Amino acid sequence: MKRSEFVFTIGFQGDAAVVDRRAQRQYGSLSTMELAEQGLYRAAFCSALFSGLPDEMEQFIRFFGEKTGIDGLNEDRIKRLFGIYTVPDEVKKIIAV
């Protein structure tokens, strides 16, 4: 799975990821923090998760906490909030809608 496909995935059907094509085209080139600044928090979180860089995740968590006023945020709490835990390995195809 490419970064922009994961970031804009809206669901799964079997071994296929369903991707929001319009959002992918419009925002796919933005960085994690640019997505967050646009208010696309779920996409920004997915971007940080996909990168695997602890600094990028910490920067997003800090920004998200400031914008939402939620105290005590960490990566596990945000994973539960958005329902996204990892980049899936079993995706074999992409369905763009």
Side-chain angles (χ1 to χ4, degrees):
M1 236 183 151
K2 296 177 193 172
R3 174 194 170 270
S4 66
E5 293 168 343
F6 177 66
V7 169
F8 296 104
T9 295
I10 55 176
F12 296 93
Q13 183 174 355
D15 63 351
V18 180
V19 176
D20 181 339
R21 183 184 342 195
R22 175 183 273 167
Q24 184 182 17
R25 269 193 247 131
Q26 187 172 356
Y27 302 108
S29 64
L30 299 181
S31 70
T32 296
M33 292 312 298
E34 289 171 331
L35 289 166
E37 289 165 0
Q38 291 287 321
L40 302 170
Y41 300 129
R42 181 188 176 281
F45 172 71
C46 289
S47 176
L49 187 63
F50 190 88
S51 78
L53 301 172
D55 291 343
E56 193 169 327
M57 182 61 76
E58 289 173 22
Q59 186 179 14
F60 169 73
I61 290 170
R62 192 170 37 256
F63 180 87
F64 185 68
E66 289 171 5
K67 291 295 181 182
T68 61
I70 301 172
D71 292 328
L73 283 176
N74 60 35
E75 187 173 340
D76 290 333
R77 285 189 70 193
I78 294 179
K79 284 179 177 180
R80 285 194 311 267
L81 176 69
F82 291 122
I84 302 163
Y85 298 92
T86 186
V87 180
D89 294 329
E90 63 276 357
V91 173
K92 300 209 184 328
K93 60 184 174 180
I94 304 299
I95 301 170
V97 293

